[in-house]
Amino acid sequence: MREIFAGMPWWVKWIAVPVIAIFVFGGLIASVVGFVIGLLFKVLVFVVVVGGLIFVVRKFMSSSSSRCDW
C-alpha cells in the first residue's frame, strides 16, 4: 500500500482519498455519530432523572423526620 501512495502527489493522499472515503462511508459514519449522540443524550436524561429522584426523596425524608420531632 505504501508503494502505491509513494508515487502520488500530496493532494491525492490528503484530500482525494478522505473525500472518497467520506462519500462512500458517509451514511455509515452519520449513523454511528447519530447513535452515539442519541445514547449520550439518553444517559444524560437518565442521570438528571435519577438525580432529581434522589433530591426529592432526601427532601421528603428530611421534612418527614423533622415532623416526627414535634
Side-chain angles (χ1 to χ4, degrees):
M1 192 62 135
R2 288 190 174 185
E3 294 84 24
I4 295 172
F5 282 116
M8 297 287 172
W10 68 270
W11 60 269
V12 172
K13 292 186 263 188
W14 298 106
I15 297 175
V17 172
V19 166
I20 292 170
I22 289 172
F23 179 75
V24 171
F25 298 109
L28 177 65
I29 292 169
S31 298
V32 169
V33 169
F35 175 76
V36 169
I37 290 173
L39 187 64
L40 287 175
F41 179 74
K42 289 178 182 177
V43 167
L44 180 66
V45 168
F46 176 76
V47 168
V48 168
V49 168
V50 169
L53 178 67
I54 291 171
F55 176 78
V56 167
V57 167
R58 283 188 177 175
K59 192 84 163 169
F60 179 75
M61 294 296 284
S62 68
S63 67
S64 67
S65 67
S66 64
R67 273 189 250 157
C68 292
D69 292 340
W70 284 74

